[in-house]
Amino acid sequence: MGVLEDKVVVFTGAGAGIGRATVARFVREGARVVAVDISASVADSTADFGDRVAPVVADVSTWEGNTKAAGAALQRWGRIDCFVGNAGITDGAAPLESVPGDDLPRAFGELFGVNVLAPLLGVRACLDALTESKGSVILTGSYASTHAAGGGALYTPSKHAVLGIIRQLAYELAPDIRVNGVAPGVAPTRLKGTAALGQGATDSVLDGTRFALPLQEIPDVDAYAGVFVLLASDESRVMTGSLVQADSGLAVRGIARPGGRVTVEGAQ
Ligand SMILES: NC(=O)c1ccc[n+]([C@@H]2O[C@H](COP(=O)([O-])OP(=O)(O)OC[C@H]3O[C@@H](n4cnc5c(N)ncnc54)[C@H](O)[C@@H]3O)[C@@H](O)[C@H]2O)c1
């Protein structure tokens, strides 16, 4: 029996990358998952998981998208135990001076719509059901939730805001609903860019990144799943308001060498 046996989870950004890999693990742990993504391919990419996963195509930066996702869980399984707000887009690490002032309001609205507004909408849409189940919320933050230069002038503030949401909602919703987050360092995905900046999808891992990490390895997309499982399970019942750093040691990297025992050539 898995640690998430029969928990019902609404999971956004489930069609690719960290989300898809984590949904696979949730299913192995016994969960039933509404897998939400703006990409219609979410139905194909979650087909392997059988009837324990219900794909929903929705834009989570809209209220309708979130009520559709919550409604699917309630209609199919009658409850929601966990909401995971994981969908995200990037600004391609664009510095402020590279963004024309005219484009900034639209780019801000688009990126903050997915990275910041969507988790608020998702929690709001699942609120009654989570209160009833005494459930939990998990939001995907980032190394950029607590540090500069994990993204650009829009992404970094948006991920700092995710930490603000975690802390504020953990307070507001206690003692009924726990609210925590996972802050990945890097993962080999292709995050969508900000259309208002003319950006497409780009590789999340840049050349040389491996050598900057104290742990000296680019983690697989499924490397974060265990942290999500912990936060979704009753094993973390004493945790709320926490953002779990899962950053391969980035927050403790050294100046001369990334890690005390790092000797490989190319270390930066
Ligand atoms: N890859 C990294 O290095 C990294 C590092 C730190 C944090 N993160 C965060 O991890 C999360 C997952 O990203 P990933 O790297 O797996 O990228 P990904 O692009 O593989 O997955 C993100 C998913 O979100 C979906 N999505 C985007 N906008 C949406 C919308 N409006 N409505 C519904 N779905 C939408 C995409 O279609 C995609 O399937 C994001 O929040 C990202 O910011 C990623």
Side-chain angles (χ1 to χ4, degrees):
M1 183 163 134
V3 291
L4 302 181
E5 204 60 40
D6 287 334
K7 284 199 189 290
V8 175
V9 181
V10 174
F11 202 122
T12 78
I18 293 169
R20 185 183 181 280
T22 304
V23 167
R25 177 68 188 281
F26 272 30
V27 170
R28 286 205 300 281
E29 295 292 345
R32 294 169 288 180
V33 183
V34 171
V36 192
D37 207 285
I38 198 167
S39 168
S41 65
V42 68
D44 297 332
S45 62
T46 57
D48 293 349
F49 312 138
D51 62 5
R52 297 198 76 87
V53 172
V56 166
V57 178
D59 179 354
V60 294
S61 67
T62 67
W63 175 238
E64 296 70 26
N66 286 280
T67 52
K68 184 177 171 188
L74 293 173
Q75 192 182 9
R76 182 138 172 191
W77 291 305
R79 57 186 290 131
I80 300 172
D81 298 288
C82 183
F83 168 74
V84 185
N86 168 73
I89 61 172
T90 181
D91 61 3
L96 184 61
E97 66 184 351
S98 75
V99 181
D102 265 3
D103 294 340
L104 197 49
R106 217 157 44 87
F108 179 94
E110 181 184 343
L111 186 138
F112 271 66
V114 181
N115 291 8
V116 183
L117 176 59
L120 287 169
L121 292 170
V123 176
R124 189 68 188 84
C126 295
L127 198 54
D128 290 347
L130 288 171
T131 303
E132 199 170 317
S133 66
K134 299 266 188 276
S136 74
V137 170
I138 305 170
L139 303 184
T140 305
S142 168
Y143 172 75
S145 291
T146 47
H147 295 81
L154 292 173
Y155 185 84
T156 298
S158 80
K159 288 296 184 180
H160 273 61
V162 170
L163 176 56
I165 295 171
I166 290 166
R167 288 180 166 155
Q168 178 66 22
L169 295 189
Y171 166 74
E172 289 184 14
L173 302 177
D176 294 333
I177 302 169
R178 298 185 301 108
V179 183
N180 293 294
V182 181
V186 293
T189 65
R190 284 181 62 76
L191 269 169
K192 291 191 170 79
T194 302
L197 298 178
Q199 296 174 345
T202 50
D203 286 337
S204 304
V205 179
L206 304 175
D207 279 352
T209 300
R210 175 164 86 82
F211 302 114
L213 302 174
L215 295 184
Q216 298 282 290
E217 215 175 78
I218 301 296
D220 290 335
V221 279
D222 58 8
Y224 300 95
V227 185
F228 284 89
V229 169
L230 170 71
L231 294 178
S233 78
D234 300 336
E235 298 291 322
S236 59
R237 63 188 174 280
V238 291
M239 294 175 73
T240 195
S242 299
L243 178 67
V244 178
Q245 306 286 342
D247 63 2
S248 305
L250 267 175
V252 295
R253 62 158 280 139
I255 295 171
R257 281 174 297 152
R261 292 184 171 186
V262 174
T263 53
V264 293
E265 227 170 280
Q268 299 173 343

